[in-house]
Amino acid sequence: MSGVYARRAGRRIAGLAASAVLAGTSVLLTAPTAQAAPPTPVSAATARTYLGQLTERAEGSSTGYSRDKFPHWITQSGACNTREVVLKRDGTNVQQDSACAAVSGSWYSEYDGATWTAASDLDIDHVVALAEAWRSGASGWTTAQRQAFANDLSRPQLIAVTDNVNQAKSDLDPAEWMPSRTAYRCTYARMWVHVKHHWNLTVDSAEKSALQGVLNNC
């Protein structure tokens, strides 16, 4: 495994170096002002209200959970699936080939502040992870409901971020994980509550406390 991690680290160093070079021309290592983004989440004030309306309940079991029970990425239009739509939406100057694959562009990862110029360096994060949703009420949904949740482009549920950051987040909730880029934590908390409220998912006490702490300082 160490060799794999070394190669991935090398790829990231190279990616950051390339981004740094491009920063002198058109790509910045800070969030571009015209950067596309997920749908704007509700305000902090509304998120606080929504959080108070969520059912507080101990987290359910993962028994029976499988990512296959949340079909993704589905076709959105033509040859483009949900991942490709989000890559196009969240990137800058993204060019796609005839199969809708992103072949060029740049992406600013809001979670960690890194900029990437290869789509392979990005994962599409489910803000409320699929397994977290399962334990918060989605275990009782139909497959059609879970598919809609896993491909939700109308709420701030999907965002392109650095792949290994997404993998480190895994299915953790805000009591266990928040973006390392502290400037984005308020937005992240608003996104999380917006999604859970819309989909009528529950929160556990530690999760609720962590969200309240962030939202009270927004």
Side-chain angles (χ1 to χ4, degrees):
M1 292 297 290
S2 60
V4 173
Y5 290 138
R7 287 193 295 274
R8 288 175 70 84
R11 176 162 59 87
R12 273 161 179 64
I13 291 169
L16 287 170
S19 296
V21 170
L22 288 168
T25 55
S26 61
V27 179
L28 301 177
L29 292 177
T30 55
T33 55
Q35 177 75 13
T40 302
V42 294
S43 68
T46 300
R48 288 192 290 270
T49 299
Y50 279 7
L51 182 59
Q53 294 172 348
L54 294 178
T55 299
E56 185 177 334
R57 181 180 298 154
E59 194 167 84
S61 171
S62 293
T63 300
Y65 168 72
S66 167
R67 288 179 66 84
D68 292 340
K69 294 183 177 180
F70 292 80
H72 65 290
W73 304 110
I74 63 170
T75 299
Q76 292 291 341
S77 64
C80 301
N81 66 25
T82 308
R83 171 183 165 84
E84 291 149 352
V85 169
V86 176
L87 284 172
K88 175 73 171 179
R89 181 197 70 190
D90 289 3
T92 301
N93 299 322
V94 177
Q95 299 297 316
Q96 296 171 307
D97 64 17
S98 59
C100 207
V103 294
S104 64
S106 66
W107 292 267
Y108 179 82
S109 172
E110 295 282 8
Y111 288 0
D112 58 331
T115 295
W116 302 102
T117 56
S120 58
D121 284 316
L122 283 300
D123 277 356
I124 307 305
D125 180 42
H126 289 95
V127 172
V128 177
L130 305 182
E132 164 67 21
W134 178 269
R135 297 189 297 265
S136 303
S139 60
W141 293 352
T142 65
T143 298
Q145 287 173 308
R146 290 192 287 262
Q147 175 175 294
F149 175 81
N151 297 275
D152 188 359
L153 294 168
S154 298
R155 262 65 55 181
Q157 161 68 343
L158 301 172
I159 183 171
V161 296
T162 303
D163 56 2
N164 62 344
V165 171
N166 178 55
Q167 291 151 23
K169 172 190 168 180
S170 184
D171 61 351
L172 302 178
D173 70 30
E176 304 160 313
W177 186 93
M178 289 290 284
S180 61
R181 184 169 162 259
T182 56
Y184 200 67
R185 289 182 179 178
C186 180
T187 301
Y188 183 80
R190 290 160 51 209
M191 294 165 77
W192 184 280
V193 173
H194 187 158
V195 171
K196 280 219 162 179
H197 186 270
H198 175 81
W199 289 96
N200 196 29
L201 295 169
T202 62
V203 288
D204 63 50
S205 59
E207 174 190 356
K208 184 175 183 179
S209 178
L211 289 163
Q212 285 174 329
V214 174
L215 292 171
N216 286 342
N217 289 293
C218 288

